[in-house]
Amino acid sequence: MNTDDTVRTFLDFYRERGHELITGSTLLPPPSDPVLFTTSGMHPLTPYLQGRPHPQGRRLVNVQRCLRTTDLDEIGDVTHLTVFEMLGSWSLGDYDHPQSLRWGHELLRDGFGIPSEKLYVTVFGGDEQVGPDLESLRTWRELGLPLESTRDENWWSNGTVGPCGPDSEIFFWTGDGPPEGRPTTDSRWVEIWNHVHMRYERGEDGGLVPLRQVNVDTGMGLERLVSVLQGRRSVYETDLFEPWMRTVPPLWDLDEQSTRVVCDHLRSSVVVVGDGVRPSNTGRGYVLRRLVRRLLTVLRRDDPSRTVGDLPVGLVEHTLDHFRQSLGAGIVRDVLLDEERRFGRLLERGRRVLSRPRFQGALTEEDYGYLHDTHGLPREMVAGLMEDR
Ligand code: SER
């Protein structure tokens, strides 16, 4: 099953069960939202989870593109991506959580052909404020899936305040032999789907109040699901990354992890630029700038002549097409090249300034402040240059 089939199977399953498809097209949250980027499928739905009627009804489904920078240090491993897509389904005060779990199991088994033996689930075991999630426990037992309960791992929130609730996570066995251990003891159990019983709101004071309606919010990372369904160890080995992995290794001779970082950051930068963001020193533009600088640092470590200009424009087009973005590939490439030139100039200045006698020893906080304020040299770049000497 390729990526497009996977998306279609998911959407059709929920549409057949009365869910309306909502758009999940941009990474940019609505202007009233304080966060920089959409981080999960439920994020743009927050007001509707809190009780505002949604114009398309109480059952919704979508594919939402998301960006998470909290995982930036994990990029380069086999499952994390900066920009990814999330398959989501919602009941806004309509059907209950057990129904969502039953449908979830049905779709994995009948729609995606995953045998139940390869699944393990976790449920919320209760804490000082909320009791154990007995409904989910009962439902999973009825469905015959092995389960374990946890405390902190099975509580979902999108920040310190706002809608939250106990969740049930579904794990898939990725090991070679028969399944062993449990999700909390064996990392070969990989989380693929999260069903959140979104029924509380956490206030500024840390207290929980019941939401006006009891919701279900589910989210499943598309790329991870696809790698599981295609029997691949890594998201980079799926059809989604095939054009990248066919093009990048012959172009730039990098180790495996660096190839992954470069592919992830380049692809993410293309999507962010495609959504209208331009590099800058603040906000979204700064996230983009950091992504581009990180990828250039890795790319040019062994060979400073490497440039994003080497990248075939067809690869940029392929990414923009996949995310249904209308910006021309040439424009995206120019934005990246412009940023690369700027980065090159800054590096040069950094080397020149750091060669002064004053900076020969370890740098003080005052030095970092001076280098930043007077020469525009970001701390992480200075640290990188210091390491290289
Ligand atoms: N909110 C949950 C998550 O992001 C499910 O959508 O994992």
Side-chain angles (χ1 to χ4, degrees), residues 89-91 95-97 100 195-198 214-218:
S89 66
W90 293 273
S91 157
Y95 55 84
D96 62 12
H97 200 226
S100 178
H195 289 236
V196 186
H197 199 182
M198 198 70 89
V214 174
N215 310 287
V216 182
D217 151 46
T218 87

Side-chain angles (χ1 to χ4, degrees), residues 213-281:
Q213 66 193 29
V214 174
N215 310 287
V216 182
D217 151 46
T218 87
M220 176 152 62
L222 172 64
E223 297 80 358
R224 202 177 289 181
L225 174 68
V226 165
S227 63
V228 159
L229 295 178
Q230 295 180 6
R232 306 292 180 190
R233 197 176 56 90
S234 130
V235 293
Y236 297 92
E237 290 167 19
T238 64
D239 66 312
L240 202 56
F241 275 89
E242 194 276 330
W244 285 92
M245 299 317 277
R246 181 165 26 93
T247 311
V248 168
L251 196 61
W252 298 314
D253 182 20
L254 300 161
D255 63 51
E256 215 181 313
Q257 193 190 353
S258 302
T259 302
R260 293 198 286 251
V261 173
V262 165
C263 288
D264 170 80
H265 284 21
L266 261 173
R267 177 175 174 271
S268 301
S269 301
V270 170
V271 184
V272 173
V273 173
D275 269 351
V277 178
R278 296 292 173 271
S280 75
N281 281 337

Side-chain angles (χ1 to χ4, degrees), residues 40 42 68 86 156 194 196 198 217-219:
S40 68
M42 60 73 67
R68 287 189 187 172
M86 203 180 256
W156 201 89
N194 190 5
V196 186
M198 198 70 89
D217 151 46
T218 87

Side-chain angles (χ1 to χ4, degrees), residues 35-104:
V35 304
L36 296 176
F37 290 102
T38 298
T39 54
S40 68
M42 60 73 67
H43 188 169
L45 291 174
T46 305
Y48 307 103
L49 293 161
Q50 288 168 322
R52 189 197 296 174
H54 193 284
Q56 286 179 262
R58 290 174 169 278
R59 297 183 182 198
L60 306 174
V61 64
N62 86 350
V63 188
Q64 173 69 51
R65 58 174 173 264
C66 306
L67 185 147
R68 287 189 187 172
T69 47
T70 40
D71 292 343
L72 217 52
D73 291 332
E74 296 186 42
I75 300 300
D77 74 3
V78 291
T79 57
H80 288 87
L81 296 170
T82 307
V83 166
F84 63 98
E85 291 175 276
M86 203 180 256
L87 304 169
S89 66
W90 293 273
S91 157
L92 301 176
D94 188 1
Y95 55 84
D96 62 12
H97 200 226
Q99 175 65 79
S100 178
L101 303 182
R102 280 194 287 270
W103 277 339

Side-chain angles (χ1 to χ4, degrees), residues 324-339:
R324 299 167 299 284
Q325 293 174 304
S326 54
L327 197 68
I331 300 178
V332 175
R333 206 157 161 271
D334 286 348
V335 170
L336 299 179
L337 275 173
D338 227 38
E339 187 58 15

